Each structure stands twice: as structure tokens, then as C-alpha cells.
Amino acid sequence: MEAFLHQIFSGLAAGGIYASVALALVMIYTATHHINFAQGEMAMFATFIGWALIEWGGLNFWVAFLLTIVIAFCGGFAIERIVLRPLHDKPVLSIIIAFIGLLVIFNALAGWIFGFTIKAFPSPFPTSPPFGNRFLNWHEIGTVGITVVVLLLLFAFFRLTPLGLAMRAAAFNPESARLVGIRVGLMLALGWGLAAAIGSVAGMLVAHVVYLDPNMMAGILLYGFASALLGGIDNPGGAVVGGFIVGVAENVLGAYVIGTELKLSVALVLIIGVLLVKPAGLFGRRIVTRV
Amino acid sequence: MKGVKYLSSAVALAAAALVIAPAWAQKKYDTGATDTEIVFGHTGPYSGPASAYGTIGKAIQAYVNKINDEGGVNGRKLKMISYDDGYSPPKIVEQVRRLVEQDEVLFLFNTLGTPTNTAIHKYVNAKKVPHLFVATGATKWGDPKRFPWTMGWQPNYQTEGKIYAAYILENKPNAKIGILYQNDDYGKDYLKGFKDGLGSAGQKLIVKELSYEVTDPTIDSQIIELKGSGADTFFNITTPKFAAQAIRKAGDIEWKPLHFLNNVSASVGSVLTPAGLDKSVGIITAIYAKDPTDPQWANDQAYKDWSAWMDKYYPDGDKKDTFNVFGYNVSYTLVAMLKQAGDNLTRENIMKQAASLKNLNVPMLLPGINVNTSPTDFYPIEQEQLAKFNGKVFELFGKVYGE
């Protein structure tokens, strides 16, 4: 029983990680209607910047944390302006190729600058076991907490602010948005900036658990995709719930049902299963387009 | 007249024999070898995910420079042609073909990586190019019957697995063993050696055996399961990132088994430090070379020579990095083999000499560990000693295992 509880909680902790990555994917999808394959590598690179600020710059964790988010935002904004803007009216395949190019570039760049040996990333949370339990540590609780905070901020931003509304409009129907005076290009770039910022938060939370190296996000991004799709690719709340479901399911199935060798397949089966059976995901909106 | 004719042909034959015979006795070359030079090929990951190993190639070049400064091997300078393979199987195929067919090297030396060497294994054996002292611990490099042109160097994974098994049988015969292994050739190689070493006792001793994939984000779930199985001994067959995760997670959930960590990840700087030195105390591993950071070698002549060589020939290199010891040791083995080959620098003789190294003492290997090969034994190093981490360094203890 104790081992079972342990598996559940460790699954929830992993789920928090997947959820934060899924949030970044949802963010960029909501803002641009694209799925960014370079999301993981951008987050990884931002995390290296955070690491450098702490280790080389000697900054306090939270200062570095906030600074990294700002840098990531500017970086995401710049990438949209420089790389994706010229592809604006090109077929979707060109854009996907650009995403894959970005993935390779960031991966190689990180290795070249920071090296491939793993690095310990500090955690801002205390190391003592919280409330005397051994199932979760403060970092895991903190990860879940920060993910929920990011989720609430996102929700508020999209639902309650005019800028959020403008961004949704720009993604949903660029033509009409432009006609009512929204600067669509700027909105897309803002969306990229926000997604990169959320990704950097995810990266900095993940890095403490899985250690920082240029290939850190490869496996995680796959689980992030599964979570985002399960919850609904356009629903931030759904993505977070999807993350927790994937994390727990993966642990429990791996330990008691299918064995560790097939754990990764769970994510892949989920992706294909959701796309086949319920493409909108558990909480996503079904979109009907008039042709 | 007839007699004269016979006589003259006999003289001609004798003269021809006189001209050829000394050449046989003196010098014999295949492509890549001349009176002044021996050209050999190398590939390594100077870029890509495994580029931490790239320093080995640079160390080999630095050792070649030292040998050439001292006059070369039997009067011939060594020329190393080294290409970047990025640890990528398709890339190494391209680079090795270039080395063999375009650069026409005499032999290949210390090409690095298990997947990469696997990609060229058949090609070099079909071409009959010596493929020597490859930098990987897989067991398959010592198969002279099927692959007579390929030879490993470092102790292979199965040998190491057997050493841990021997120690457990001797010192903890009632152990309850939990195993975590990477689900690929490397992990299974260790696992096989370990199980072979335990023999029939293994069935009873191993209580849990779990795997993970390199794509798994974490292995927390597996560590929890191992603890839950009641194991009091842990054989940790993981690559650096997962080794660090395993050590930390075991510490976090207060699982304190007798912990055997494979040599692949037994690095204080890149594994134990990120995992937490306090959580790493007591970890046991098997080693065969002198660790340059271990203070017990500070006054050892071999260490001093190595250190002086690093200062002079590879000043950019990291003196804490054991890969630079690896490059030095494997190059030392190469030079000893080439000296032994003398002036007969054919590919066949190179292979023959590589397979007849007897009790070769390589200075930066641990005392008591020697290089030995024979036509049926293509495993140059088959001995290791156990070492326990004391919070700062791995401390050697006990006897030298292996034959």
C-alpha cells in the first residue's frame, strides 16, 4: 500500500511537470494555431540561461527566475519576428520545417555553449520533508503550485483582459481581427513571447528533477503533447488536468500492469487514441469550420 | 650450350632471390606505412550529444605529438587522421570509408561508441582493416572467430558485471538484489555478466529487475518499486543522468541499499556531485585506471609523467577528467604494439601483434592490472578493483578481480 501511494504521488509530481509543458503548448496553439515542436528546446535553452545567471552571475534564485522569464519572453518575441514572420503566408509544412530547424539549432547551441554534461539546477524550496510526509517533497508541491498559478494567470489574461481577447481573435480569425483594428502580427509575436516565457518556467521547474542537459526536454515534450491533447489543445485547464492524468497513469500502469518497458508507449497510445476517438480532447471545444 | 643456359637461369634466379630476400627480412608495408611514416585513422564525437568524450581524441593526438617529438616509433613518425562522427552511426560509416578508401590508413584506432562501432563492424572486417582498441565496453568486440579484425581495449561490461557478482557472493551471500538497467545493448550486457557471475544463486538472490528507456523523463517510479521489493543491494546500470536521479531519489525516500554503480557513471564531478555527495557515500564501483584526482597518486611517478605530458602537450585539457587518462593509456598500448611490430607493417602483422601483448604494463592503469591478449583472447584488460566512495573520492579496497 505504501508503495502504491508512493507511485501515485510520484506520478502527480511528474504530472505537474507535464502539465507545465502542456500549458506552453496550449499557449502557443491558442495564440497562433500551430504546434511548436521547438517548444521543449526553447524551454531548455531558457533554463540554461537561468542556470548561467545563478551559477556564473551569482544571482539569487528568484531574481534569476524572473529575469529568465523576461529574457525568454523577448527571445520568443524575436523568434516570431525574425524566423516566422517571413513564413507568414507560406504553407504549413514550411512552418513545421522551421520549427524542426529551431529545435536542432537550440539543441546544438546549448551543447556548444554549455556542454553536454549534466548540471544540477537549484530548487528554491526547502529540502526538509513537508508536514512530516515522505511521499512528496517541497519542490514537487512547489511545482504543482506554480503550475496552477500560471494556469490561473493565463485564464485571467485570456478571459478578462482586452489584450487577451485581441490575441484570441487574431489567432481565430486573422482577417476579421485585422478589420476591427487588431494588429495581428504583433499579437502573434506576443503569443510566441508568452509561450516562451511559460516554457522557461516549466524548464526551470523540471531541471531540478531531471537535471539540466541539452537533451533534457526530449522525453518530457512527448508526455507534454500527450497531456495537452488529452485535455484539449485549446484549453489550459484541460492541459493541466491531462498532465496529472498522464503522470499518474504512466506510473501506475508501469509499476503494476504493463511493466517499465512499455511506459513510453502509454504516451504514444494516448496521443493516437485521443486523435482517433475524441480529437478535441476531454475538455476541448469542438471546432466546426464553414468551408 | 644447354648447360650454359641452365647455368645462366640459375644465376639469374639466385640473383633475384638475393635482391628480394633482404627486403622480406627487413621491411614490409601495406598502405599507410612507409619508411618515414605510419598513418592511422580515428573518429570520435567532437560534436553532438556525446561530445564529452571528444577529449579522448585530443588526448590521443597529444600523445602522438609526444611520441613524434621523441623520434617516433622505430624511426617512423605517427600521423593520426581524426574525423568528427558526432556519435552518429551514419556519419561514422562515411568517415571510416573516407579513412580507408581515400586516406588509405594502415589501421583504425580507438573509434568511439557502441552504436557507431557497430555500424562499421562488418565493413572493416570485410575490408580486412585492423579496427583496434575501440573505445566502448560492449562485449561483442572480442570475437576473433567472427570478427578477426576488431579488438576492444577497456574491461567489457560483462567482465565488470561478473566482478560485482563475485564480490556479492563472497561478502553478502544472502543479499536481496534489486537491479535497474537501461533497456538496450549496454544495459543487457552488464545484466548478463552479472547474472552469469551469480550463477545458480542468482535466481534466489535477485528479487527485482527493472528497466528504463533513455527517453523516460525520470526513473523515480522504478526506484520506489525497487525499495518496495525489499531489496537491500542495488545494482545500478544507468547512464550519468539517470544514475544521478537514482542516487538522489534513493536518498530522498530513505532507501539505503549496498549500492553498486557501473563504471560508466562512476564520475565524482558529473554524477555524484549533482546527485549530492552526502547521498553518494558508500557507493561501490569497479575501476581499472588511476583517477587523476585521487590524492594517493600525487607522488606516483606514472601520475607525474602523465601530469607533465598534459602540461606540455595538452594544456587546454582538464586534468580532472579521467577521459584524458583513458586517451593516454590507450595510446600507450598502441605505441607498445607498434614497437613490437617492428618493420613488418602489414595489416596482418598489426593484428597479429595486437593479439600477442603479454603482461604489458601501462603506467596509468592500477597496479597489478596488465594488458594481455592472445589469438583467442581479444579482451586486452580484464581486471578491475573495487572502490568505495567516501564522500570525496573513490577509495580502492580489496583485491584485483579478474584474470
Side-chain angles (χ1 to χ4, degrees), chain A residues 7 116 208-211 219 260 264, chain B residues 48 51 211 215 221 245 248 274-275:
Chain A
Q7 294 288 9
F116 285 91
H208 175 70
V209 182
V210 302
Y211 293 103
T260 43
L264 187 65
Chain B
S51 50
S211 68
T215 44
S221 170
Q245 286 186 10
R248 188 181 57 193

Side-chain angles (χ1 to χ4, degrees), chain B residues 70-86:
Chain B
E70 290 164 359
V73 178
N74 297 330
R76 292 179 188 84
K77 301 268 169 164
L78 298 180
K79 184 177 166 200
M80 167 178 177
I81 302 178
S82 180
Y83 293 129
D84 182 14
D85 62 28

Side-chain angles (χ1 to χ4, degrees), chain B residues 11-26:
Chain B
V11 169
L13 262 176
L18 274 173
V19 175
I20 293 165
W24 277 343
Q26 269 183 2

Side-chain angles (χ1 to χ4, degrees), chain B residues 254-329:
Chain B
E254 289 172 357
W255 183 40
K256 295 191 178 93
L258 179 62
H259 189 152
F260 294 91
L261 176 63
N262 60 186
N263 180 285
V264 170
S265 296
S267 161
V268 178
S270 61
V271 175
L272 304 191
T273 308
L277 293 176
D278 51 326
K279 289 176 179 138
S280 307
V281 173
I283 287 178
I284 294 174
T285 191
I287 51 184
Y288 62 97
K290 291 173 184 167
D291 179 348
T293 60
D294 188 341
Q296 71 162 310
W297 308 118
N299 289 313
D300 178 61
Q301 189 56 43
Y303 171 77
K304 285 189 199 159
D305 292 345
W306 175 83
S307 179
W309 162 78
M310 281 293 286
D311 289 339
K312 185 164 175 203
Y313 290 97
Y314 192 13
D316 298 340
D318 182 357
K319 277 169 125 182
K320 287 191 285 251
D321 192 338
T322 50
F323 294 138
N324 291 327
V325 174
F326 182 97
Y328 181 86
N329 277 335

Side-chain angles (χ1 to χ4, degrees), chain A residues 2-3 6-7 10 18 116-118 120 134 137 140 208-211 213 215-216 219-220 223 251 255 260-261 263-264, chain B residues 48-49 51 181 183 211 213 215-218 220-222 224-225 227 240-241 244-245 248-249 252-254 270 274-275:
Chain A
E2 192 190 314
H6 240 137
Q7 294 288 9
S10 141
Y18 305 154
F116 285 91
T117 48
I118 60 165
R134 278 169 295 129
N137 60 35
E140 289 162 348
H208 175 70
V209 182
V210 302
Y211 293 103
D213 76 308
N215 302 313
M216 170 178 92
I220 296 171
Y223 287 101
N251 261 17
T260 43
E261 291 185 349
K263 267 175 86 172
L264 187 65
Chain B
S51 50
Y181 68 97
N183 191 15
S211 68
E213 307 291 327
T215 44
D216 285 355
T218 77
D220 289 1
S221 170
Q222 282 91 327
I224 294 167
E225 219 181 323
K227 185 193 179 195
K241 174 172 142 183
Q245 286 186 10
R248 188 181 57 193
K249 187 68 185 177
D252 282 350
I253 62 170
E254 289 172 357
S270 61

Side-chain angles (χ1 to χ4, degrees), chain A:
Chain A
M1 191 60 201
E2 192 190 314
F4 181 72
L5 280 178
H6 240 137
Q7 294 288 9
I8 298 276
F9 280 105
S10 141
L12 283 176
I17 293 173
Y18 305 154
S20 55
V21 176
L23 264 185
L25 288 168
V26 167
M27 177 67 224
I28 208 145
Y29 185 81
T30 316
T32 67
H33 275 198
H34 291 136
I35 289 187
N36 181 7
F37 294 103
Q39 191 75 57
E41 305 308 293
M42 283 165 57
M44 173 276 297
F45 197 80
T47 309
F48 264 113
I49 294 175
W51 179 84
L53 289 173
I54 295 169
E55 293 293 317
W56 297 348
L59 293 180
N60 167 281
F61 182 90
W62 290 112
V63 176
F65 187 80
L66 292 175
L67 209 55
T68 305
I69 295 176
V70 173
I71 295 172
F73 180 85
C74 300
F77 193 92
I79 288 173
E80 202 281 336
R81 286 275 129 153
I82 299 165
V83 182
L84 287 151
R85 200 163 163 72
L87 296 174
H88 184 58
D89 44 5
K90 300 285 184 297
V92 74
L93 202 60
S94 319
I95 297 173
I96 289 178
I97 298 290
F99 286 154
I100 292 174
L102 284 173
L103 184 156
V104 176
I105 290 170
F106 276 113
N107 188 288
L109 208 58
W112 182 55
I113 301 173
F114 302 103
F116 285 91
T117 48
I118 60 165
K119 293 172 176 61
F121 196 85
S123 165
F125 304 104
T127 48
S128 61
F131 322 119
N133 85 75
R134 278 169 295 129
F135 297 123
L136 276 177
N137 60 35
W138 275 116
H139 183 83
E140 289 162 348
I141 295 173
T143 304
V144 174
I146 290 181
T147 306
V148 171
V149 168
V150 172
L151 168 66
L152 292 177
L153 284 176
L154 262 187
F155 183 81
F157 175 75
F158 276 119
R159 286 296 154 94
L160 306 178
T161 67
L163 188 60
L165 183 65
M167 278 178 65
R168 280 195 293 153
F172 193 71
N173 194 336
E175 296 301 312
S176 308
R178 201 169 279 122
L179 287 176
V180 296
I182 294 168
R183 292 180 58 191
V184 172
L186 185 69
M187 292 303 124
L188 291 182
L190 275 180
W192 266 80
L194 278 178
I198 297 170
S200 73
V201 172
M204 285 185 283
L205 293 173
V206 171
H208 175 70
V209 182
V210 302
Y211 293 103
L212 179 56
D213 76 308
N215 302 313
M216 170 178 92
M217 296 302 273
I220 296 171
L221 189 67
L222 198 65
Y223 287 101
F225 270 128
S227 312
L229 281 172
L230 181 65
I233 189 73
D234 55 1
N235 185 329
V240 171
V241 175
F244 288 121
I245 295 177
V246 170
V248 173
E250 174 213 2
N251 261 17
V252 172
L253 290 177
Y256 301 106
V257 186
I258 51 173
T260 43
E261 291 185 349
L262 290 176
K263 267 175 86 172
L264 187 65
S265 318
V266 172
L268 296 168
V269 167
L270 256 179
I271 290 179
I272 295 172
V274 169
L275 288 177
L276 280 178
V277 178
K278 204 170 185 309
L282 292 179
F283 309 100
R285 270 175 305 129
R286 185 182 290 272
I287 295 170
V288 183
T289 310
R290 194 199 304 254
V291 201

